[in-house]
Amino acid sequence: MLVPFWRSQRPAEFLSWYEQHAGLLLRFFGPLEIASGVLVIGSTALAWLGYLPGLAFFAAATGLTLAVLATFPLYFKAVNTRFETRLIDAADVAGELERWATWHSARTFLATLAFGLALLAMGIRP
């Protein structure tokens, strides 16, 4: 996980690392999150049309996935930009990383729950 690595660095080192890798992080994680949204929305649509079972589970998974995706514009976009452009005081980095970790834990929980619901929709027991 990246957060323990980030926290192990001094603020200036972390900000330098983040500035150097921000684009790579977005290019890697962005498509993964978008693909998960497209897949679960597509599965929900197919279930709604009667081609797949488990409409209620897929619909719940879609709602949770959309909540995960919403965290980016609600929190992560601004803070990631502050890290990348170093528009954050070094003294504030540790506290912001704590908030970042909390938001990330919440979205990881929601994504895991959505995945489990999608498995249930398909009749697979997690």
Side-chain angles (χ1 to χ4, degrees):
M1 183 177 207
L2 288 172
V3 177
F5 167 68
W6 291 345
R7 286 178 170 169
S8 73
Q9 298 180 336
R10 291 189 299 259
E13 292 171 341
F14 160 71
L15 293 173
S16 179
W17 183 95
Y18 199 92
E19 179 182 26
Q20 185 178 11
H21 295 92
L24 180 63
L25 291 169
L26 185 61
R27 285 191 307 275
F28 180 78
F29 288 108
L32 288 177
E33 290 188 12
I34 291 168
S36 69
V38 168
L39 288 172
V40 75
I41 289 168
S43 297
T44 302
L46 289 172
W48 183 71
L49 292 170
Y51 295 108
L52 291 175
L55 176 59
F57 287 126
F58 276 128
T62 294
L64 292 171
T65 301
L66 292 176
V68 169
L69 293 173
T71 64
F72 185 76
L74 289 174
Y75 173 74
F76 289 101
K77 183 178 181 184
V79 73
N80 291 352
T81 298
R82 288 177 65 210
F83 288 153
E84 180 181 10
T85 59
R86 297 175 182 236
L87 292 176
I88 184 170
D89 291 335
D92 296 332
V93 168
E96 197 60 62
L97 282 175
E98 181 69 29
R99 277 186 291 286
W100 198 103
T102 300
W103 276 82
H104 180 67
S105 293
R107 74 175 173 179
T108 299
F109 174 77
L110 294 176
T112 302
L113 188 55
F115 181 69
L117 288 170
L119 291 176
L120 288 172
M122 294 183 297
I124 300 170
R125 301 292 174 234

